[in-house]
Amino acid sequence: MSTFTAAEQGRGYLDLMKLRVVELLLVTTVPALVLAEGKLPGLVVTAASIIGGTLAAGAANAYNMIIESDIDKLMARTSKRPLVTGVLNKVQATIFATIVAILSLVVFWVFTTPLATLLTLIAIVFYVVVYTMGLKRRTAQNIVWGGAAGCMPVFIGWAAVTNSLSWTAVAFFMVIFFWTPPHFWALAIKYKDDYAAANVPMLPVVATRNRVHREMWLHTVAMIVSSIALIRFADLQLWALILTIGLGLVFAGQLIQLRERTPDYTKVAGKIFQWSITYLSLLSVLLVVAQLLKA
């Protein structure tokens, strides 16, 4: 019998969903909805996409914690997660994750479109099976390909409105695809010892600082190019293009400080991680404002 209170277990279920991470995924859902609709989307499709997306990402995160509970014990950053502390057991977590996943699919099916529902299912399976089970412990390119799951809210939001995809959605997807590795590698630099202790081959653990820096640069340049393509495909205003390029250059400017012998190397990486979140948030706001002013 559990010695934890109902409140502690309730908090444990919320912690399984990693809602702070989910917030970042939803940041890209809203502009996808607006771009697809060409104006503010309807309240029902917007609420369904946000609620369904939260449930889907939360379910995927819960499955991730179940699968990785062994390595979570070895990392200081994850040592307080509910399956490590014993607030919840794997059976409870699995039942919860499955119910939440089904609810997310029901929400999308009832209130949006069949394609959005299918893409949501693909996103959950991809994150759990391909990334968590297949890539994360096997290759330093784990977050490069596994990060595609984090790009899916763009496709899901677009499909929720149109029941189709477009080149604008593809360009937006690629922005997030190339944004994800430098964003996550910056975090992995900060927690390099944690990943090393858990034997997870994140790039900063297994590669030199020069190689990590080079890879971050390559993905950042590709992200900027993709963002330009996004503005062009969406046929947004010139000022939106200029501001988008400016945001990308600020992102690139952060990387200049991350040299191999940079004093406070880890602290600089932490600042890049924080800026990457700011970048994605500002880009999303910019896309919404530009589309609404155009409408």
Side-chain angles (χ1 to χ4, degrees):
M1 186 174 179
S2 175
T3 59
F4 295 95
T5 66
E8 289 172 327
Q9 289 192 313
R11 178 53 191 252
Y13 284 118
L14 287 177
D15 288 343
L16 279 178
M17 297 177 71
K18 291 195 281 188
L19 292 179
R20 290 184 65 185
V21 176
V22 174
E23 288 175 9
L24 195 57
L25 297 176
L26 295 179
V27 161
T28 60
T29 302
V30 174
L33 290 167
V34 173
L35 289 172
E37 187 69 53
K39 57 184 180 180
L40 284 177
L43 180 60
V44 171
V45 72
T46 301
S49 297
I50 292 174
I51 294 170
T54 298
L55 293 173
N61 288 332
Y63 282 124
N64 172 271
M65 283 199 198
I66 295 164
I67 295 165
E68 295 189 343
S69 59
D70 59 330
I71 62 175
D72 282 346
K73 297 175 183 177
L74 305 174
M75 301 171 62
R77 184 171 68 91
T78 56
S79 61
K80 300 299 183 182
R81 287 180 173 175
L83 292 177
V84 177
T85 61
V87 171
L88 299 172
N89 60 46
K90 286 190 176 183
V91 173
Q92 291 171 313
T94 302
I95 293 172
F96 174 77
T98 303
I99 291 173
V100 171
I102 293 171
L103 283 175
S104 73
L105 297 176
V106 169
V107 168
F108 276 109
W109 181 261
V110 173
F111 297 106
T112 66
T113 67
L115 181 58
T117 308
L118 175 61
L119 289 171
T120 301
L121 176 61
I122 291 172
I124 295 171
V125 173
F126 191 92
Y127 184 76
V128 175
V129 177
V130 177
Y131 172 64
T132 304
M133 299 176 66
L135 296 173
K136 188 168 182 178
R137 306 193 201 195
R138 290 181 172 85
T139 171
Q141 294 297 302
N142 45 25
I143 198 63
V144 175
W145 303 108
C151 310
M152 290 299 289
V154 169
F155 279 175
I156 294 167
W158 193 280
V161 171
T162 67
N163 199 32
S164 64
L165 295 176
S166 71
W167 285 113
T168 303
V170 171
F172 198 178
F173 180 99
M174 296 311 297
V175 171
I176 313 304
F177 181 80
F178 289 119
W179 167 88
T180 301
H183 162 75
F184 202 90
W185 286 333
L187 180 68
I189 289 171
K190 183 176 180 180
Y191 292 104
K192 177 180 176 180
D193 292 342
D194 264 3
Y195 286 115
N199 200 29
V200 177
M202 289 298 174
L203 191 66
V205 175
V206 300
T208 64
R209 288 183 176 183
N210 276 336
R211 183 188 166 192
V212 173
H213 195 212
R214 184 167 64 251
E215 295 263 4
M216 291 175 78
W217 264 111
L218 288 172
H219 284 84
T220 299
V221 170
M223 179 193 75
I224 294 172
V225 172
S226 298
S227 69
I228 294 172
L230 168 59
I231 298 299
R232 301 306 298 162
F233 278 123
D235 194 27
L236 296 179
Q237 303 91 330
L238 178 61
W239 64 263
L241 175 62
I242 294 171
L243 288 179
T244 298
I245 294 173
L247 283 175
L249 292 177
V250 173
F251 196 122
Q254 303 292 311
L255 291 181
I256 295 174
Q257 305 174 47
L258 195 69
R259 298 185 181 89
E260 184 175 9
R261 299 185 181 183
T262 298
D264 298 324
Y265 182 80
T266 301
K267 189 175 293 185
V268 172
K271 290 180 180 178
I272 293 174
F273 174 75
Q274 292 300 328
W275 165 250
S276 67
I277 296 173
T278 302
Y279 166 86
L280 193 59
S281 301
L282 291 176
L283 177 63
S284 295
V285 171
L286 187 155
L287 292 171
V288 170
V289 172
Q291 180 60 56
L292 294 180
L293 289 177
K294 172 188 166 185

